[in-house]
Amino acid sequence: MYEKIDKNLYTPMMRQYLEIKENYPDTLVFFRLGDFYEMFFNDALVASRELEIVLTGRDAGVGNEKVPMCGVPYHAVDSYIEKLSNKGYKVAIVEQLEEPGGKKIVHRDVTKIVTPGTNIDEKYLSDKNNNYIGAIEKLDNGYAFAYIDLSTGESKITQFPNNFDLIYGEISKLSIKEVVCNNLTKNLGVLVSICEDNTLDSYLDSLYVNLPENIKVCAKRLLAYIVKTQKRVLVHLQPFAYYDSKDYLRLDNNVVRNLELVESLKGNRFKNNLFSVLDKCSTAMGSRFLKRSILFPLVDLKAINERHDFIDELAKNGLIVEEVKKDFDVINDSFPTIYRIDRIKKFNVLEEKFYIPYRNRFEEGEFRKRIQFMYGGKLRNVKFKYTGDDIDAILDRLPTARIIEKGSNYYIIKAEVFGKGIDMWLRSQGDKVEVVGME
């Protein structure tokens, strides 16, 4: 539509708008003009209807003809973006990148794109719910399905056989609001965003390098889309955790709804459902884990027994549990906070207020003993050789890790870790990590 408009007929400012809009045909463009974000042409018609704001017109250089226009004040823009996100729209924020001066047009460009799956505004998110954005990739014998919560950095990926109903079920269970793909003709009931380019900067390679080759493209496409919309370096994302859907009992939409697992039959998520009854968690992270455990029940007997043993230890030691609850207060659900701080470029605040207290508290003897006690004494000292090129990421992932030897192309690291968590992590590192000692 916009590429067919003769831009020479319009004023310089309107030409600037049209040139930007051409690159975002499926997105509502919020164009900054002074103290307002303005929308024009069809975007104005859509926004005025969905936001219930006044539709006006603006002289744009085409004779006496005015183009449709509406606007919202910049200091209240978040609430309007939230409304549009809830309705499934994408919004491109166009900011003035220089101070107005002289007779030239102020340079403007898109600084961020907010979509239903990438909106991390605190007013939009619920601490107890993930806000996932997913991606689907057709494989020779089925589908790859990946999803990321941009607010926490959680990244997961799995595969499904050639049965698209399983994809529908996963999207519904996870309450995914946006799905990224290359080309998809099926109606998913959520916003579908097309991303044809899956090239990435090398700093993101570690997030998917250990995945099976046939599903890497799915992870890369999702990451590429997130980078494209956020227009910033993503340092908080975790490596994709691969899981086999066969490891969990498959619950279809009817089962989840009729059993009222996470919301009542009337759609109430805050009461009259299993999750609301069970959720007595001390942290939002715990609440999110509980909800996932309800929606993805274990089927492996060994894993079920391990979980029961752990719960049994907690039930027998109420005093220990109360002390651990106090320790959790310092963690303060740091992952969403880390991302919010990262957005405003204040990593010094992150280091000072969140990472250091958490690390120091973990190293305190009493806290370590309590956690060790709950895990049945399965605290192990592991010494391993690391030959990768991102030692900082290793030290961040393992709070107790210490470098005890440094060679020309390797590090010997010692860390105090718990139970099977280290086994899963070591497997995820592939040939970059070699265990050389364990107690």
Side-chain angles (χ1 to χ4, degrees):
M1 172 185 174
Y2 290 94
E3 63 273 11
K4 296 180 181 179
I5 295 177
D6 185 356
K7 302 180 186 62
N8 294 322
L9 298 176
Y10 293 91
T11 62
M13 186 278 292
M14 192 57 66
R15 287 202 298 271
Q16 186 184 51
Y17 169 83
L18 291 170
E19 288 169 358
I20 293 174
K21 179 61 184 176
E22 271 187 18
N23 297 320
Y24 302 93
D26 62 343
T27 305
L28 298 177
V29 173
F30 276 38
F31 193 77
R32 181 71 178 269
L33 287 175
D35 291 337
F36 284 82
Y37 287 101
E38 306 286 5
M39 288 138 279
F40 303 101
F41 296 97
N42 191 60
D43 283 6
L45 299 176
V46 173
S48 65
R49 181 185 71 238
E50 299 293 353
L51 298 176
E52 298 180 344
I53 56 179
V54 177
L55 179 67
T56 62
R58 181 185 179 98
D59 292 326
V62 188
N64 295 323
E65 181 183 346
K66 291 186 176 182
V67 300
M69 181 187 81
C70 67
V72 299
Y74 82 94
H75 57 79
V77 70
D78 289 342
S79 62
Y80 291 104
I81 291 175
E82 180 183 350
K83 288 180 182 179
L84 292 171
S85 289
N86 284 328
K87 295 186 177 192
Y89 290 98
K90 296 189 283 188
V91 177
I93 307 298
V94 177
E95 294 286 2
Q96 297 175 175
L97 302 182
E98 63 183 4
E99 291 294 326
K103 297 182 179 180
K104 68 174 184 177
I105 294 296
V106 175
H107 179 51
R108 297 179 178 89
D109 205 350
V110 174
T111 58
K112 182 176 65 172
I113 302 173
V114 181
T115 75
T118 62
N119 192 347
I120 47 80
D121 188 89
E122 293 178 54
K123 299 174 185 176
Y124 180 78
L125 300 179
S126 167
D127 286 344
K128 296 188 177 184
N129 297 308
N130 290 101
N131 187 42
Y132 290 120
I133 177 171
I136 300 172
E137 198 74 30
K138 184 70 177 75
L139 307 176
D140 292 338
N141 58 347
Y143 296 92
F145 182 65
Y147 51 94
I148 288 175
D149 183 340
L150 197 55
S151 66
T152 66
E154 177 188 355
S155 309
K156 293 186 180 295
I157 191 167
T158 187
Q159 296 182 71
F160 289 104
N162 240 330
N163 182 352
F164 211 83
D165 288 341
L166 298 176
I167 301 282
Y168 281 120
E170 206 80 351
I171 290 172
S172 178
K173 278 196 301 183
L174 295 168
S175 298
I176 289 177
K177 300 174 181 176
E178 183 178 6
V179 172
V180 180
C181 60
N182 183 18
N183 47 37
L184 187 69
T185 57
K186 297 181 182 294
N187 181 10
L188 299 177
V190 297
L191 175 65
V192 174
S193 296
I194 303 299
C195 181
E196 298 177 347
D197 182 17
N198 60 3
T199 55
L200 295 169
D201 290 335
S202 59
Y203 80 93
L204 292 168
D205 290 351
S206 61
L207 300 183
Y208 60 85
V209 68
N210 294 315
L211 296 176
E213 284 297 326
N214 64 324
I215 65 174
K216 282 184 179 179
V217 63
C218 184
K220 291 173 67 176
R221 194 176 307 283
L222 180 54
L223 289 170
Y225 178 78
I226 292 175
V227 170
K228 176 184 175 182
T229 58
Q230 298 304 288
K231 295 185 176 294
R232 50 181 296 281
V233 176
L234 301 170
V235 298
H236 72 297
L237 296 182
Q238 303 170 43
F240 278 93
Y242 178 81
Y243 68 95
D244 192 331
S245 59
K246 296 178 182 178
D247 292 339
Y248 303 94
L249 184 65
R250 287 175 178 168
L251 306 178
D252 62 28
N253 296 342
N254 291 329
V255 170
V256 173
R257 182 175 182 275
N258 292 327
L259 292 181
E260 298 182 300
L261 296 183
V262 293
E263 65 178 42
S264 68
L265 288 174
K266 294 182 178 180
N268 194 326
R269 296 188 176 189
F270 302 102
K271 61 180 181 179
N272 302 329
N273 62 74
L274 179 62
F275 172 69
S276 67
V277 172
L278 296 179
D279 184 25
K280 301 296 186 292
C281 297
S282 299
T283 67
M285 285 184 286
S287 296
R288 294 194 295 268
F289 177 79
L290 173 62
K291 179 175 285 188
R292 185 176 182 86
S293 300
I294 291 173
L295 293 173
F296 292 84
L298 297 171
V299 295
D300 180 71
L301 184 59
K302 181 180 178 183
I304 293 172
N305 285 331
E306 285 181 352
R307 181 175 289 180
H308 284 178
D309 291 342
F310 184 77
I311 294 172
D312 186 49
E313 288 295 328
L314 294 176
K316 291 177 182 177
N317 299 279
L319 292 177
I320 295 290
V321 171
E322 291 304 315
E323 290 298 318
V324 171
K325 283 183 178 180
K326 294 177 183 178
D327 291 318
F328 283 159
D329 289 341
V330 75
I331 298 175
N332 196 28
D333 200 6
S334 59
F335 285 123
T337 310
I338 285 172
Y339 184 53
R340 290 194 293 269
I341 291 173
D342 175 35
R343 287 177 61 207
I344 56 177
K345 310 296 184 184
K346 291 186 178 178
F347 276 95
N348 57 319
V349 178
L350 165 66
E351 292 291 338
E352 185 177 331
K353 290 189 176 180
F354 298 97
Y355 181 68
I356 297 302
Y358 171 60
R359 182 165 184 151
N360 291 346
R361 191 59 172 265
F362 185 88
E363 291 169 352
E364 288 177 5
E366 290 303 313
F367 184 38
R368 187 167 64 249
K369 288 177 183 177
R370 285 194 285 273
I371 298 294
Q372 179 181 357
F373 183 83
M374 288 197 305
Y375 273 79
K378 298 175 183 177
L379 189 66
R380 290 189 284 177
N381 286 305
V382 178
K383 188 188 297 183
F384 58 90
K385 182 179 181 180
Y386 176 70
T387 55
D389 55 5
D390 196 358
I391 186 63
D392 290 337
I394 297 295
L395 297 178
D396 285 346
R397 297 291 178 194
L398 301 175
T400 61
R402 295 289 182 272
I403 298 173
I404 60 176
E405 181 183 334
K406 180 179 179 181
S408 58
N409 60 350
Y410 71 89
Y411 296 89
I412 301 297
I413 299 171
K414 187 175 183 180
E416 198 172 33
V417 295
F418 297 114
K420 70 175 184 179
I422 187 61
D423 300 327
M424 296 172 62
W425 180 82
L426 288 172
R427 286 198 297 271
S428 73
Q429 297 301 307
D431 57 5
K432 294 187 295 184
V433 170
E434 176 188 355
V435 176
V436 295
M438 185 176 294
E439 299 174 4

